[in-house]
Amino acid sequence: HQLPRIDKYWARRKEIWERYNSAFKDLPVILPALAEQNTRHGFHLYTLLIDTDKTKITRDQFLDAMTKQNIGVGVHYIALHLHPFYQQAYGYKEGSFPNAEWISEKTVSISLSVKLLDQDVEDVIASIKEILG
């Protein structure tokens, strides 16, 4: 039932994505990777890597600050080897994959939905700029 709206929804997510990229380009973050040539990006999940060396704020502190402002955020992703199953099944432990841990400790996802109003998008941007700017 959503297929007739797929292009409209994709366009709205792309619009928000581009607004975020523009708003966050000068903040101490690493923006999501650009879409590969000759592909159509889904613009499904907007993730930021927080440059904790420049902000002196951890990912978890950022998440807490955003939550206090009633802005939905999520953790994406926890390094696979840090999940209990993989630690028990394969003996992985903290330090086994330092690059994965580096990314895991800094990555957050922020609100990206076709249901976001323009003012909602501006609220997300304002909160992130206040916290990281």
Side-chain angles (χ1 to χ4, degrees), residues 81 95-105:
H81 70 285
S96 295
F97 299 95
N99 291 334
E101 289 174 34
W102 186 88
I103 292 170
S104 176
E105 292 167 356

Side-chain angles (χ1 to χ4, degrees), residues 46-59:
Y46 192 92
T47 56
L48 290 173
L49 270 77
I50 299 172
D51 188 338
T52 55
D53 293 331
K54 293 181 181 173
T55 63
K56 304 303 180 204
I57 184 173
T58 67
R59 179 206 58 206

Side-chain angles (χ1 to χ4, degrees), residues 67-96:
T67 300
K68 285 178 185 169
Q69 294 190 32
N70 294 317
I71 304 291
V73 288
V75 174
H76 288 99
Y77 296 85
I78 296 173
L80 195 62
H81 70 285
L82 298 178
H83 289 266
F85 170 80
Y86 292 94
Q87 291 179 335
Q88 293 165 6
Y90 301 106
Y92 296 140
K93 61 183 186 284
E94 191 171 329
S96 295

Side-chain angles (χ1 to χ4, degrees), residues 6 9 15 20-23 30 45-46 52 61 75 85 87 106 110 123:
I6 196 166
Y9 286 177
E15 178 185 340
Y20 284 164
N21 277 349
S22 176
I30 299 171
L45 187 65
Y46 192 92
T52 55
Q61 290 169 329
V75 174
F85 170 80
Q87 291 179 335
K106 294 166 177 43
I110 62 173
D123 290 345

